[in-house]
Amino acid sequence: MKYQKWIFFALAAIVALLSQFYIQQRYTTLLQGGAEYQWPVKVSRHIGWVPSDYLEIEFLGSYANWEGKQTPEVGHEVYVVVTPKQSGVLQVLSATDETPKDQEYIRANVKRFDHGVVEFSIPFNRVKVDLSKVDSKFYTNYRGTLIGTLKLRDGYGVVTGVYAKGVPLELATPESVVDQEKDSRVLLEKIGDTEQEKDDIIVIPNSN
Amino acid sequence: MNIQHIRWLHEELEQWREEGLISEEQSHRLQAKYGFIPKEGPSWTRLITVLGGAALILLGIILLFAGYWYGFSPNGRFDWSLVILLLAIAIVGGGVWKAKPASMVAEAITVIYMAILTTSTLLVADTYYTGEHMGLYVLIILCCSLPIIYILDSALGMILYLIGVLGWSFSSHPLNAWVGPAAVGGLLLVAVPYYIRRFGQYQQVKDPLLVSVSWAFVGAIFGEVFFTLSTYEPQMNLFFISVLGAVTYGLGTLEKKITLLALPCKGVGAIALLYTIVEGTYISTWIRIGESSMVWWLWLCMLLSLGVAFLVLRRLVLAKRIESCIGLIPFVVFVCYIVTVSGATPILTSILFNAYVLVAALGTFIRGTLVKKVSLLNSSILTLIAMFGARFFDPSFTFVERGVSFLVLGIIVLGINAIYLWRKGKQRATMNQRVRQARRQVADVSALETPMETQVVTEETKTVESEVAMKEEER
């Protein structure tokens, strides 16, 4: 009985320690074995009680046509079917409630559902950066396009970095307001296209 | 004699001996008899001071870590988390070695272990962030805590464990998460042997913590049912929660012998019934039920559970309990389901349900007034508050409709209260009048009786005096 207690305790201790390694391995497996893609993003900084080393990511264009059998409910998990363009930027195809077999997908949570279109949030919404080196303009009022790189595997993922015009955020400097404004007019669906046609850029006529 | 008294005695004996009040020998004898100072347990003041000091040290360490935490590399953070966890495991090892199971020390060690395990898991999860749902980490924490709860026989640990299960059930959860109702049901199931064992021990030794464990257990069972239904058949939530609530409440009312379970069953059952009342009074609920598909096996399940509810209702009716109207709620909900599915407008169903709740609450109120039972009065008032309170957020009515209804109801409640107070005041005045009259009558009667009593006492005194005189003469 005495030894039984100690054996039970030893097993519990081993399981507790292994659980921590399991959490670590989930992340490193994604980082090492996941397929790399890109997604247009916005970044923001979460000011908390403890100084942090990450920025929060907002994935732009997080909506898709619903192709599931049942109406999705807010907060529930759905599968967002994506396909990469030649440049690696992901394009959202649809969202469904069944695991896609042959296509790349992301596990996301439903934010809103209206007239067959589901708005979703991608849970892995953090990128680790050296905040002392990142220009604060990027996460305060930046209107240009930032590209986030992410690794995906079985619908799970991690964001590995954020780039402004191909330069890592820690090394990049924000362009002028005019350039940002011009950049923001590019249609989201056209970001990552190899040849961007001028027609895709919305030109606002000068009021004067 | 407490320790303070003994210390005082030692000082005083020394002084008395010097002053010559007592001899050396007497001083020794008194010291031998009263002077032994027993080993002192920690006083509350000392305990609070020590705990306060320890808490300050802990907060200091937390602050130091918090400031530099993100300055460490991810691997560095992971190592620190492991160190903290190993420390907790070492503490538990000490507890397994020395602490008596179910003792205060064992309880404290289990709680400390659970707190550190939670901290460590969340820190690692934050370091290696994948946006995973919280449920996964809660599952890990609960699975790793349970063996320690069993080894140290900790009731506090079990309460925290069950709260974790309950919290997981009611948190917003993704539908297709691999940790689902089955996992939560499994967690609940593995806790059952603990409860059975502790319940068996309760027969011999009174265990105040087991009542709290019972509350947490009944609550967790309800959470699991709620979770399963809302995940797979959300339209059935109202019906099955009403059955479970009514059966549990009924059993809690009838089964007074098992006191350990009576109150938790009644309490959690009452909460479930309040949920039923609030949810059932919304028109949107019946719209949702009307739109959902009701397959044949669901009807079969409903009929089977109604059978169980009927057994409890029958016992309540035979015992002539007013709680029978609560036992009837599942049947009313069932009728409302039939009415909705057969194509009636949701507003009609809502009116039917509201009417029943109103009648039942008023019936309970009247019964409570007649038998002067405060618990019945309170439950009826609570029911009415829940029913009308739900209207405050009900989008089925306009703000004007809701506003006017609340105003009118408020005036009615105040009016009834005023009438009640006026009647009570009148009753008090009548009773006081009667008491005054009775006192006056008593005063009059005593005034008449006093001279006669004085005469009787004087005669008795004379008789006694003459008897004493005769005895002295005989001597």
Side-chain angles (χ1 to χ4, degrees), chain B residues 443-455:
Chain B
D444 291 347
V445 170
S446 57
L448 280 169
E449 281 174 353
T450 314
M452 286 173 71
E453 275 174 10
T454 322
Q455 204 177 339

Side-chain angles (χ1 to χ4, degrees), chain A residues 20 26 50-51 53 125-126, chain B residues 66 70 77 120 126 129 132:
Chain A
Q20 311 297 302
R26 276 172 67 84
V50 178
D53 70 342
N125 59 345
R126 280 189 194 178
Chain B
Y70 285 102
R77 277 183 252 166
S120 165
D126 182 78
Y129 186 78
E132 187 57 69

Side-chain angles (χ1 to χ4, degrees), chain B residues 138-257:
Chain B
V138 173
L139 188 72
I140 288 171
I141 294 160
L142 295 180
C143 286
C144 295
S145 303
L146 195 65
I148 306 302
I149 293 170
Y150 267 97
I151 295 170
L152 295 176
D153 200 5
S154 165
L156 275 177
M158 183 49 80
I159 291 167
L160 291 174
Y161 174 89
L162 291 168
I163 288 171
V165 174
L166 188 66
W168 209 92
S169 306
F170 284 99
S171 67
S172 68
H173 46 271
L175 184 65
N176 297 323
W178 62 274
V179 274
V184 177
L187 285 173
L188 211 55
L189 213 62
V190 288
V192 172
Y194 172 89
Y195 190 76
I196 292 170
R197 190 180 69 183
R198 194 115 184 185
F199 191 78
Q201 288 167 356
Y202 182 79
Q203 310 300 327
Q204 290 111 40
V205 189
K206 286 282 167 195
D207 186 355
L209 276 173
L210 197 60
V211 180
S212 311
V213 178
S214 303
W215 271 94
F217 223 102
V218 178
I221 291 168
F222 266 81
E224 165 63 3
V225 173
F226 184 81
F227 181 34
T228 311
L229 287 170
S230 58
T231 305
Y232 298 118
E233 298 293 342
Q235 80 277 14
M236 301 310 297
N237 239 343
L238 182 69
F239 175 76
F240 285 110
I241 291 288
S242 75
V243 173
L244 200 62
V247 169
T248 323
Y249 186 84
L251 287 175
T253 312
L254 292 165
E255 296 294 337
K256 294 283 180 195
K257 284 176 195 166

